[in-house]
Amino acid sequence: MKVQTLEELQGSLTLANIMSVIWLGDWERYENIFAEMPETLKNEFPFHPYYDREEVEIWYDNHFFIPGSFFIPPYFSSYCCQNKGAVEDSKKSLLCLIGHYEKMGFYFPLENNLYPDHLGCLMVFITSILQEQIKAVQSQNTELSDEMSALKNELLSDFLYPILQPMQMYAENRVKHPFIKEFLNYFCHNVEKEELLS
């Protein structure tokens, strides 16, 4: 397991924040993050040039909120339940995820009326783990830092890696807006290559 420097953790936190606000459709926060970002850094995000709030809001709803021909489920359980045995595994995974949330005192899904396996909730949870890890590094608490790193890696391997390919295949012919298309490609590519959050 690679140990991240404080600077790398802060970069991971920024990425996790960006991913969270997009998965949750929080466009005001998205705009605030990018307003404070240097122009040269904005070029690192291939979806950002396609950002037009009015259009993105409509297509976000069509892709991630309103069931229909363009809908792409933003839920872990939508991609891991392809056969009968997987349904039971999915239930166990969901209970495990809820257990992690409770252990960390993470009530974001309940407070925001979201399913616990929503990708936005997972990304906000990873953001909170990164915040705790940064505090641990700053206070030189190696044990807590290692614990947070292990939890983050478990979430990535159990809940994000397994859905990347199924989600990409599912989204392939449904994505119509370039912002959403570039975001999904960026998200999947970076998680898959372990460049995001690790």
Side-chain angles (χ1 to χ4, degrees), residues 111-130:
E111 293 165 351
N112 291 278
N113 200 25
L114 292 168
Y115 290 111
D117 66 330
H118 188 285
L119 291 173
C121 292
L122 281 165
M123 293 308 302
V124 171
F125 188 49
I126 289 172
T127 298
S128 68
I129 291 168
L130 285 165

Side-chain angles (χ1 to χ4, degrees), residues 128-188:
S128 68
I129 291 168
L130 285 165
Q131 289 169 335
E132 288 300 311
Q133 192 175 4
I134 287 169
K135 288 178 194 172
V137 168
Q138 289 171 331
S139 65
Q140 300 179 344
N141 185 340
T142 308
E143 185 179 333
L144 180 59
S145 176
D146 290 346
E147 186 182 323
M148 293 298 103
S149 181
L151 178 56
K152 177 185 64 183
N153 290 334
E154 181 182 341
L155 291 169
L156 290 170
S157 66
D158 291 354
F159 295 98
L160 289 179
Y161 297 151
I163 69 163
L164 296 178
Q165 189 175 14
M167 183 171 62
Q168 286 175 304
M169 290 172 51
Y170 192 87
E172 191 173 345
N173 296 319
R174 287 177 169 82
V175 177
K176 299 300 178 195
H177 194 273
F179 177 89
I180 303 293
K181 183 176 187 161
E182 290 297 328
F183 166 70
L184 286 174
N185 288 336
Y186 180 84
F187 178 80
C188 291

Side-chain angles (χ1 to χ4, degrees), residues 46-65:
F47 48 85
H48 186 66
Y50 300 106
Y51 181 75
D52 173 289
R53 185 171 182 165
E54 189 174 317
E55 285 183 22
V56 170
E57 281 180 332
I58 291 168
W59 280 105
Y60 170 85
D61 286 348
N62 281 320
H63 287 311
F64 301 120
F65 191 68

Side-chain angles (χ1 to χ4, degrees), residues 76-106:
F76 163 79
S77 58
S78 297
Y79 301 102
C80 65
C81 300
Q82 304 304 320
N83 61 49
K84 191 173 184 174
V87 172
E88 283 304 311
D89 289 343
S90 175
K91 287 178 185 177
K92 288 177 188 173
S93 294
L94 192 54
L95 289 172
C96 179
L97 178 62
I98 292 168
H100 287 312
Y101 286 173
E102 288 179 356
K103 182 180 176 186
M104 291 281 294
F106 180 76

